[in-house]
Amino acid sequence: MALSRLRHPLIFRAPSLLRLLPTAHSSFRAFNHVSGALNQIPDVDATSLSSVRPVHFRLLSGVHGIPSKLQNGVRHFSSAETPSYMEVGMPALSPTMTQGNIAKWRKKEGDKIEVGDILCDIETDKATLEFESLEEGYLAKILAPEGTKDVPVGQTIAITVEEADDIQKVPATVGGASEVKNQASSPTDAPGDSVPEASPVNISSSELPPHLVLDMPALSPTMNQGSIAKWRKKEGDKIEVGDILCEIETDKATLEYESLEEGFLAKILAPEGSKDVAVGQPIAITVEDENDIEAVRTSSSGSNVVKEEKSAHHDATAEVRTQPTGFNRISPAAKVLITEHGLDASSIPASGPRGTLLKGDVLAALKSGKGSTNNSPIKMTTPSPPQVNQKASATESLGLKADGQQKDAYEDLPNSQIRKVIAARLLESKQSTPHLYLSADVILDSLLSFRKELKEKYDVKVSVNDIVIKVIATALRNVPEANAYWDDGKGEVVLCDSVDISVAVATEKGLMTPIIRNADQKSISSISAEIKELAGKARAGKLKPNEYQGGTFSISNLGMFPVDRFCAIINPPQAGIIAVGRGNKVVEPAVGADGIEIPAVVNKMSLTLSADHRVFDGKVGGAFFSALTSNFNDINRLLM
């Protein structure tokens, strides 16, 4: 295997050589050696080390012959008794691999490892491959247990030592991800600085016993913040390896956060209901000794970092709002309210574009009591519309009382994390992807007859949507240029190896897109059963990452509603989405047996393709719709 196939250089090993041996199963090995010699780096506080479930990753710089500056997440220890050990990172087993899943560990903690032994099976974006050892030693600690999903390339998954006696000497803090957080928290540091900053957690390490700081993990590739839905453990509870600490609402679903270390939950920094906690921000502190819980809990400096950040943000917002403000324009509704309540318009901050004073600004001032009463006229040059009827209607519609008191005339609906991410991604898609729209009406009579035949002759019940999925998947297989995506890095179109259909499912928290993988190769009954199972999981918030990540094409069906046609927005990085409208009976001319045109009633359905114009040109789009029309006209083609 060529070294260039390694997506990120993962080798940092001063005393030894890098060896990559070609094997039949294409295994790469990534080891990061940290010896006791590194313990002498000055200005590193060992007590600031923290550990979390391995979700943040480190890309360790330096291959043999290239000196590393130790600025990319190597953990340092100040104890002279710390043994030499090796951090085994998630390898890049394919050119496109950015993360992998631990399918099975072949070795257990404490096992002897020889050169060439299989450490574990790793599920990549292409296949399940074996991960071989290039060094002999002992497996001291497994940081990513079996079943761990979406482990980024470069993240530490295990620790090995050279001697069996060193297994118990490996510090409990080894394998944490706080170094990445520390480095990210100080982007203004000089590039040549070789020592990461201390943890941003506001904890005086000199006053606290040995402890671990648990950070908000990145449980999906697009996650940058999460919400604490529920804590499964309470302060003071015993924690075992594999215990569920809490449930975290991500941008995709509500997932469980497992513990990779045993100990005691000393302090919860982000209580239940905490919203928009940034990835890498501390959420809890654990200790090894039960007697240390009280010392951490009562520490004056071990305060709730999440609350501190939120209060600081709130103070900053309040400070902005209290700054002297003025306005250049005023909306008619705002002018009515100011006149009605006798407010001083110059004391109300304007939040509208170009300094426009909006109705919401006046309502906020009334609610907070900041709008001082002043009968001075509003200094605006814009002529105001008639006031009498507007005053009455505005007062009645907003529920304002004559005595100046006001009822809330609206309700703020808290947005779920999923809906926030959907909103951001849709906006990004429309701004960055050139949308091409193509539409056509297809005849449904053949499809409906086929569906009726399956039910009457074979007692197989499938929906119209199940057959539509199969029809579109078959068309994508027949026109592979349509089953592709645009690679921004390479600036070229990349064809997908499989036809994986993302199906839009509406849930209470937002729109989810579970995936029917290899839909072109599955029967309609299999597609029907799978979509029912995935839709149920989506509505319950129980979808696994591999069940909604990685589709190649999307379908959004509103045929169950009175919607004839609509245009959907592309779900990046995919290049196409089909919007399916409802079926309608229409009258069309048909040629009779005698060759004379006669009116005929047919069932038609509108399909609208939203496509990335960088991938779909007129030729590809036309070929794709030709294949779609042929499949709908002769549904038996699906059985071939």
Side-chain angles (χ1 to χ4, degrees), residues 252-268:
K252 298 296 184 182
T254 300
L255 304 177
E256 296 175 337
Y257 180 22
E258 292 184 9
S259 172
L260 291 179
E261 300 284 346
E262 62 180 14
F264 295 88
L265 183 57
K267 192 177 189 66
I268 293 177

Side-chain angles (χ1 to χ4, degrees), residues 11-30:
I11 314 294
F12 172 69
R13 197 171 156 76
S16 65
L17 296 177
L18 166 66
R19 300 198 302 270
L20 287 176
L21 302 179
T23 61
H25 40 265
S26 306
S27 295
F28 284 90
R29 301 90 177 173

Side-chain angles (χ1 to χ4, degrees), residues 186-338:
S186 54
T188 58
D189 290 348
D193 192 356
S194 62
V195 181
E197 292 270 333
S199 173
V201 181
N202 187 20
I203 297 175
S204 177
S205 299
S206 61
E207 299 177 3
L208 295 183
H211 61 277
L212 302 177
V213 179
L214 305 184
D215 295 344
M216 171 63 72
L219 299 177
S220 74
T222 59
M223 176 181 173
N224 53 30
Q225 58 186 10
S227 302
I228 304 296
K230 181 180 180 181
W231 277 98
R232 297 280 193 89
K233 295 290 186 179
K234 303 187 298 293
E235 291 186 358
D237 284 359
K238 170 69 175 175
I239 302 173
E240 300 291 346
V241 175
D243 283 356
I244 306 299
L245 295 177
C246 62
E247 296 177 4
I248 297 176
E249 180 185 335
T250 72
D251 55 341
K252 298 296 184 182
T254 300
L255 304 177
E256 296 175 337
Y257 180 22
E258 292 184 9
S259 172
L260 291 179
E261 300 284 346
E262 62 180 14
F264 295 88
L265 183 57
K267 192 177 189 66
I268 293 177
L269 302 178
E272 282 188 15
S274 297
K275 301 291 185 181
D276 302 335
V277 182
V279 168
Q281 184 168 309
I283 61 174
I285 301 175
T286 65
V287 294
E288 295 182 1
D289 191 347
E290 185 176 8
N291 297 326
D292 296 334
I293 295 176
E294 195 62 27
V296 173
R297 186 183 300 174
T298 58
S299 174
S300 59
S301 57
S303 55
N304 191 324
V305 180
V306 178
K307 289 185 177 179
E308 288 178 359
E309 289 200 3
K310 288 187 177 180
S311 61
H313 176 73
H314 176 75
D315 293 342
T317 305
E319 182 180 350
V320 171
R321 291 183 177 178
T322 56
Q323 291 176 353
T325 58
F327 61 90
N328 301 321
R329 304 180 182 182
I330 184 169
S331 69
K335 191 171 184 179
V336 170
L337 290 176
I338 291 173

Side-chain angles (χ1 to χ4, degrees), residues 46-208:
T47 59
S48 67
L49 297 174
S50 59
S51 176
V52 298
R53 182 181 182 181
V55 288
H56 310 296
F57 63 93
R58 303 186 289 253
L59 301 182
L60 304 178
S61 65
V63 183
H64 179 73
I66 303 177
S68 171
K69 296 183 179 181
L70 299 182
Q71 63 182 11
N72 288 319
V74 177
R75 186 181 295 275
H76 310 283
F77 298 95
S78 60
S79 172
E81 298 178 357
T82 301
S84 298
Y85 62 90
M86 298 175 62
E87 295 186 8
V88 182
M90 171 63 72
L93 300 178
S94 73
T96 60
M97 177 180 172
T98 58
Q99 58 188 14
N101 304 332
I102 304 296
K104 182 181 180 181
W105 278 98
R106 299 284 191 90
K107 295 289 186 178
K108 302 188 299 293
E109 291 186 357
D111 283 0
K112 171 69 175 176
I113 302 173
E114 301 291 346
V115 175
D117 283 356
I118 306 300
L119 295 178
C120 61
D121 295 336
I122 297 177
E123 181 183 339
T124 72
D125 55 343
K126 301 296 183 184
T128 300
L129 304 177
E130 295 175 339
F131 182 25
E132 286 186 9
S133 172
L134 283 179
E135 302 285 343
E136 61 180 14
Y138 294 87
L139 183 57
K141 178 184 281 190
I142 293 176
L143 302 179
E146 285 187 11
T148 302
K149 303 291 185 181
D150 302 334
V151 181
V153 168
Q155 179 176 303
T156 305
I157 61 175
I159 303 295
T160 64
V161 294
E162 296 180 358
E163 303 294 337
D165 295 338
D166 293 337
I167 294 177
Q168 301 299 327
K169 299 179 182 179
V170 175
T173 53
V174 171
S178 61
E179 301 89 339
V180 176
K181 168 174 62 60
N182 295 342
Q183 185 181 354
S185 64
S186 54
T188 58
D189 290 348
D193 192 356
S194 62
V195 181
E197 292 270 333
S199 173
V201 181
N202 187 20
I203 297 175
S204 177
S205 299
S206 61
E207 299 177 3
L208 295 183

Side-chain angles (χ1 to χ4, degrees), residues 24 26 34 38 129 131 236 258 284 351 461 485 549:
S26 306
V34 184
L38 297 179
L129 304 177
F131 182 25
E258 292 184 9
S351 63
K461 298 180 181 179
Y485 67 93
Q549 294 176 4

